[in-house]
Amino acid sequence: MEPVNFPNHFLLRWCQQHKGSTDIYDYVYIDAFGKGKQLTAKECEYLIGHQVTSDYYCAVSTTEVLLRMVGNLLNIGKRGEGNEKSYQLLRDSLDLYLTINPDNVQYLLLQARLYFHLGIWPEKVLDILQHIQALDPSQHGAVGYLVQHTLEHIQHKRHPAEPEVKKRSDPEHHEVQYSMGLIMKHKRSGYNCVIYGWDPKCTMSLEWITTMRVHQLPKGPNQPFYNVLVQDGTCRYAAQENLEPHPAPLEIAHPEVGRYFAEFSDTHYTANEELQIRYPDDLEETLRTVQELYIKLNTNSGHEGPLEPQNALTV
């Protein structure tokens, strides 16, 4: 049996006559996801409601089947709601598609734009853009724009501006609920993370705000946003309304943890000296929050037990 190049359905074909026949009526077609129903060429047309050309009945290779399947996943990811799960599906689908077909300019450009907007792997973005330019020089406009802004992002990371000192006591910071080192969970996407920075309002560009659909949040961009290190190795910028303290604090396996924190203290991370200078009130606030939020399960058990949130203070 061979897979068939039929639209909107996954069909297999089996030749009833001599092998290699080019007559589409010499084959029985099997609807793999229709309980294995056997169809004639004419009956296949009823699946999509109109007549099709003989090309749709031709056999396709395994690679073509895989590309078609991944293409379907890509379309689902692109139609997503702009949340963490849809972006993750889009990332994974692009990686898989480009593993099979590494020179597809359209999807390479989509991958570069996705990584750029999510703020991850800027060095890889440059590699992708260089590959696109070599494959299709006519893409120089889109490539040039992304190269310029990616280089600015890398330069900013290597030579950051003088750090701003943020005191929780300042009036403009009164809505900031969480502090450095707290282990958090994203309410919508479910990922685990640790806070390593915050802003009283969203400071990202209008393009980023539009792409990430921040305006669809009940409080939009006019609420505290947090820089977080995520368990999957990425760095994210999350709205306060989407975060809550983790019910069972755990270590976050992220390569940048050591850049911001001195140690993990069972319930939270302790900010290093540099981070404490930038957020001078946060260490005290983190310790106060931990004391209020978590209690020992069994203080008489003779060993250090896990921690759980008090019901009254669970977000």
Side-chain angles (χ1 to χ4, degrees):
M1 288 193 291
E2 303 168 305
V4 177
N5 185 39
F6 201 81
N8 303 326
H9 287 267
F10 182 61
L11 301 181
L12 301 169
R13 73 178 190 178
W14 173 63
C15 188
Q16 302 179 96
Q17 304 300 325
H18 61 278
K19 187 176 180 180
S21 172
T22 58
D23 188 342
I24 63 174
Y25 296 101
D26 286 344
Y27 291 85
V28 170
Y29 300 89
I30 301 170
D31 190 349
F33 291 97
K35 299 182 179 180
K37 185 178 180 180
Q38 296 185 20
L39 305 167
T40 64
K42 190 65 179 177
E43 289 171 330
C44 290
E45 294 180 0
Y46 299 138
L47 293 175
I48 55 175
H50 60 81
Q51 190 173 5
V52 296
T53 65
S54 59
D55 291 343
Y56 289 144
Y57 294 95
C58 293
V60 293
S61 67
T62 303
T63 299
E64 289 172 308
V65 172
L66 286 173
L67 288 174
R68 180 169 159 178
M69 292 170 63
V70 178
N72 291 337
L73 291 175
L74 280 167
N75 288 331
I76 294 172
K78 286 189 285 188
R79 292 197 305 266
E81 300 178 354
N83 57 29
E84 185 69 23
K85 290 182 179 179
S86 63
Y87 281 126
Q88 188 64 53
L89 174 60
L90 194 53
R91 284 177 58 191
D92 293 343
S93 302
L94 280 169
D95 289 344
L96 182 55
Y97 189 99
L98 292 169
T99 298
I100 304 169
N101 187 13
D103 294 336
N104 186 297
V105 172
Q106 175 189 355
Y107 287 132
L108 283 168
L109 194 55
L110 178 60
Q111 185 183 54
R113 285 173 171 157
L114 180 64
Y115 286 171
F116 174 76
H117 285 303
L118 293 178
I120 56 178
W121 297 330
E123 290 79 11
K124 183 173 181 179
V125 172
L126 291 179
D127 289 340
I128 296 170
L129 294 173
Q130 185 177 15
H131 186 43
I132 293 171
Q133 189 64 31
L135 291 170
D136 185 2
S138 69
Q139 297 289 338
H140 63 87
V143 169
Y145 171 84
L146 288 173
V147 167
Q148 177 186 347
H149 288 276
T150 302
L151 288 173
E152 289 175 359
H153 177 67
I154 293 174
Q155 186 71 9
H156 178 72
K157 285 182 66 177
R158 290 176 179 172
H159 305 285
E162 190 68 24
E164 176 188 359
V165 175
K166 298 179 181 178
K167 295 184 177 181
R168 305 183 73 84
S169 55
D170 291 348
E172 63 267 29
H173 299 156
H174 73 278
E175 292 184 1
V176 178
Q177 294 181 9
Y178 306 125
S179 52
M180 295 303 104
L182 288 179
I183 310 299
M184 310 298 288
K185 190 176 186 69
H186 197 280
K187 295 178 184 178
R188 296 172 60 197
S189 303
Y191 62 69
N192 304 323
C193 58
V194 56
I195 295 172
Y196 72 96
W198 51 257
D199 297 307
K201 307 288 186 225
C202 181
T203 61
M204 299 297 279
S205 67
L206 180 59
E207 183 179 14
W208 185 91
I209 289 172
T210 302
T211 300
M212 304 304 287
R213 303 184 184 182
V214 173
H215 287 297
Q216 294 183 10
L217 296 173
K219 296 183 180 180
N222 296 315
Q223 62 176 305
F225 270 70
Y226 297 85
N227 300 104
V228 295
L229 302 177
V230 184
Q231 190 87 29
D232 65 3
T234 60
C235 304
R236 306 295 171 90
Y237 196 52
Q240 180 166 278
E241 67 182 77
N242 281 337
L243 293 175
E244 62 183 353
H246 200 287
L250 72 167
E251 290 191 67
I252 303 298
H254 191 287
E256 294 286 305
V257 162
R259 180 179 176 183
Y260 302 102
F261 301 104
E263 63 177 345
F264 177 67
S265 305
D266 293 331
T267 57
H268 64 284
Y269 279 90
T270 301
N272 60 20
E273 184 177 346
E274 181 181 350
L275 205 59
Q276 289 186 42
I277 291 173
R278 294 185 61 190
Y279 299 88
D281 303 332
D282 272 46
L283 179 57
E284 181 179 348
E285 179 67 17
T286 296
L287 294 175
R288 186 194 65 77
T289 301
V290 166
Q291 283 293 107
E292 291 183 354
L293 193 61
Y294 303 107
I295 61 172
K296 298 282 179 146
L297 275 178
N298 186 358
T299 56
N300 299 319
S301 63
H303 66 276
E304 291 290 318
L307 302 162
E308 65 177 11
Q310 296 180 0
N311 292 333
L313 293 169
T314 300
V315 177

